[in-house]
Amino acid sequence: MSIRTTSRPSPRATWHHGPSWLWLLSFVICMAGDALLGRWVLLPIYVAGFYGGMIVIDLLTYPMLERWRA
C-alpha cells in the first residue's frame, strides 16, 4: 500500500513575466513597423496568426485533455 503525499500550494503564486513582456514587445514592434511603412500590413497578419494559432491549439489540445487526465 503506497501513501500518496500532496504538496501544499505556495501561499504566493509565481507569475512568470517573460512571455507577457515578449508578447507586448512583439506587438509594439509590429505597430512600429506598420507606422514606418505607413499602412497596416504587419499587425493584421500578427493578429490573424495569433488567433489562428489559438484555434489550432484549442482544436488539438481540448480533445486530448480527458486522455491526459486519465
Side-chain angles (χ1 to χ4, degrees):
M1 181 174 198
S2 65
I3 298 173
R4 187 176 202 180
T5 59
T6 58
S7 61
R8 293 185 181 187
S10 63
R12 182 177 169 151
T14 304
W15 182 36
H16 301 285
H17 298 277
S20 60
W21 286 113
L22 290 174
W23 179 86
L24 182 63
L25 178 67
S26 64
F27 187 79
V28 169
I29 288 172
C30 282
M31 288 188 69
D34 283 340
L36 289 172
L37 290 172
R39 56 191 172 132
W40 294 105
V41 177
L42 301 174
L43 195 60
I45 294 170
Y46 181 83
V47 170
F50 177 79
Y51 283 110
M54 292 300 294
I55 290 170
V56 169
I57 289 170
D58 290 344
L59 290 175
L60 294 176
T61 304
Y62 288 143
M64 293 185 204
L65 284 177
E66 290 301 321
R67 195 174 317 143
W68 289 340
R69 288 180 183 158

